[in-house]
Amino acid sequence: MKLDELRFLKVKVEKHPTRDIQLEFLEKPNAIAALILNSTEDKILLVEQYRPGTAGKLLEIPAGIIENNEDPKDTLKREVREETGYEIESFKILYTPQKPLILSPGYTSEELYVYIVKLKSENEIVYEKQLDEGEDLECFWYSLAETLELTNDFKTHYALELYKNIR
């Protein structure tokens, strides 16, 4: 595969504003992530999927790319449905970000909007997932304590800390 054939990552170079050097970075679409709690707020829904950056499967909160300049809340609705089978109407949104996180500005342009949602009841309907091409993931519910031990995913740990601060 050639660099110009990449779908999500684009290698960019720009001149440093005060020094005579070139800076390389990845231009990557912005994304959302959703900490999904059950109705009693004692379990978190994680997805397990293969991640090439870790050369293995990773447990993490559902997340996805913002497509075609869509509103981040629309991305939340779409990604939650695609990856978990739940409709956004099954949730109460507990936290909506005022601005995105800048993940790693030294090498990527990606910004991440982290939401916290909770199921309205334990009887919400779970539909068949609508995974994107190339996605192969499974969903699992874990206690909050288990989650901290089971994953070292940054966005998951950040969302848990955020949740602790808002409740």
Side-chain angles (χ1 to χ4, degrees), residues 107-166:
Y107 75 89
T108 181
S109 62
E110 180 183 18
E111 296 179 342
L112 181 69
Y113 295 83
V114 178
Y115 291 87
I116 300 175
V117 301
K118 105 177 190 178
L119 282 174
K120 291 179 180 174
S121 79
E122 295 304 306
N123 299 320
E124 300 298 329
I125 298 171
V126 182
Y127 298 94
E128 186 176 340
K129 293 187 289 263
Q130 299 173 332
L131 301 176
D132 289 332
E133 179 185 349
E135 282 186 319
D136 180 20
L137 59 85
E138 293 183 60
C139 296
F140 302 97
W141 288 99
Y142 293 102
S143 72
L144 278 67
E146 282 177 305
T147 298
L148 290 172
E149 295 299 318
L150 290 171
T151 186
N152 60 352
D153 174 57
F154 170 79
K155 64 186 172 300
T156 303
H157 280 259
Y158 172 81
L160 278 168
E161 285 300 313
L162 183 60
Y163 171 66
K164 288 179 192 174
N165 288 327
I166 66 165

Side-chain angles (χ1 to χ4, degrees), residues 52-112:
T54 61
K57 289 187 174 184
L58 182 68
L59 282 167
E60 58 189 320
I61 58 177
I65 290 173
I66 297 172
E67 296 177 354
N68 304 319
N69 295 318
E70 70 186 332
D71 184 277
K73 274 194 176 176
D74 292 333
T75 306
L76 171 69
K77 177 181 178 178
R78 179 177 49 76
E79 286 294 335
V80 166
R81 175 64 180 89
E82 288 176 4
E83 293 190 2
T84 71
Y86 286 105
E87 296 284 352
I88 199 66
E89 293 77 20
S90 296
F91 296 100
K92 176 181 179 189
I93 297 177
L94 301 180
Y95 177 81
T96 300
Q98 297 302 308
K99 61 183 180 179
L101 296 171
I102 299 172
L103 294 179
S104 192
Y107 75 89
T108 181
S109 62
E110 180 183 18
E111 296 179 342
L112 181 69

